[in-house]
Amino acid sequence: MRGQFDDSWFQVGFVLTTGINSAYVLGYSGTIMVPLGWIPGVVGLILAAAISLYANSLVAKLHEFGGRRHIRYRDLAGFIYGRKAYSITWALQYVNLFMINTGYIILAGSALKAVYVLFRDDNVMKLPYFIAISGFVCALFAISIPHLSALRVWLGVSTVFSLIYIVAAFVLSVKDGIEAPARDYSIPGTTTTSKIFTTIGASANLVFAFNTGMLPEIQATVRQPVVRNMMKGLYFQFTAGILPMYAVTFIGYWAYGSSTSTYLLSSVNGPVWVKALANISAFLQTVISLHIFASPMYEYLDTKFGIKGSPFAIRNLSFRIGIRGGYLTINTLVAALLPFLGDFMSLTGAISTFPLTFILANHMYLKAKNNKLNSLQKFWHWLNVCFFSLASIAAAVSAVRLIAVDSKTYHVFADL
């Protein structure tokens, strides 16, 4: 593994930027803009970027709190609050990563299905079948790549894949938008109640789009001065880094309006080979991204069970097949059972992104810097804690309701 504390701010900013421009960007036109509409959607994405930068900066500034570097989110929480907080934070991170990976498998399955329908329109292969194939491929990749540092060359490959599907989605959407008649941009929903719940769910998607819940783990590789360099990386992420995501999200919604799919490449028209290349790139990039977000769990299990020696020794290989294969089997089953990407994004934002990135960040900063804050600053952080706690509860209720409604409408193992 690369030596700790060696990365420049640009390297870290690049990693953060790659994360927010994963294949999930192909879903934001349909999962954020469609339920919110033009003005709330655009304003919401800009505000979500601003508050996410602020919340992440609070966590970044606590990296060296107490005279030591905290290289894991749970280590920082445990140092400030105690052992119980360490366990709770680890549980939140686990849920966060599990939900993100479930979404990745839904995305990968959607990409494979989009390739299939380009060449065959017999409706024999359903989305759950492609999700199962995606889960199998992800498991093979997880077994073959023993640890995160072995991904080095794959990160460059992932960036190339990202550029391919982002450029293809943007260009084809612009072409369709110019040629299409007037679009309908009204917010979907048959009742006022359903529109309200859909809007609340989309607010959780807004914060999901910009946050990973892994900032201290990423900051662990930054060279000194660690806080200043991390802040430069965050500024890069939230300025130049978010432009590709904004471009694809806004252009996709402009081109297709309220009929935009939750997987943008299912909406675009153009040469078959371009669409096939874009979808295959999205699929392969998703396999790599899933491995990154699953790595904290893999490394935890490897450490807990004392994996030693060659990663390809029979014992270690058998361990990865059983543990990683089992983990991804559960992910894949959940993805195939409830393949509602927007709903999963909402639930992830509600039960993990809000608590980890906004509630915990503000309260940890308040507790750590309590003696250095004036009354107005303390009030501001408490206001954030209370507001995002209420937002988290509302978004969780909304997301569960959306999943229940969609399950009733489409049934489990739906072919979307």
Side-chain angles (χ1 to χ4, degrees), residues 325-339:
Y327 174 80
L328 288 169
T329 297
I330 298 171
N331 263 140
T332 304
L333 179 61
V334 174
L337 187 70
L338 302 166

Side-chain angles (χ1 to χ4, degrees), residues 284-337:
L284 294 174
Q285 197 276 342
T286 298
V287 172
I288 298 170
S289 293
L290 184 149
H291 190 76
I292 294 171
F293 282 93
S295 288
M297 176 53 63
Y298 296 158
E299 292 181 356
Y300 169 76
L301 293 170
D302 289 350
T303 302
K304 182 176 178 64
F305 292 100
I307 299 302
K308 297 177 181 178
S310 171
F312 294 102
I314 296 298
R315 177 181 179 273
N316 294 338
L317 190 60
S318 300
F319 175 84
R320 290 203 301 279
I321 292 172
I323 297 298
R324 298 186 183 188
Y327 174 80
L328 288 169
T329 297
I330 298 171
N331 263 140
T332 304
L333 179 61
V334 174
L337 187 70

Side-chain angles (χ1 to χ4, degrees), residues 248-272:
V248 171
T249 301
F250 296 148
I251 289 297
Y253 183 59
W254 166 77
Y256 309 106
S258 58
S259 64
T260 309
S261 168
T262 55
Y263 178 66
L264 183 59
L265 290 177
S266 293
S267 297
V268 301
N269 298 292
V272 170

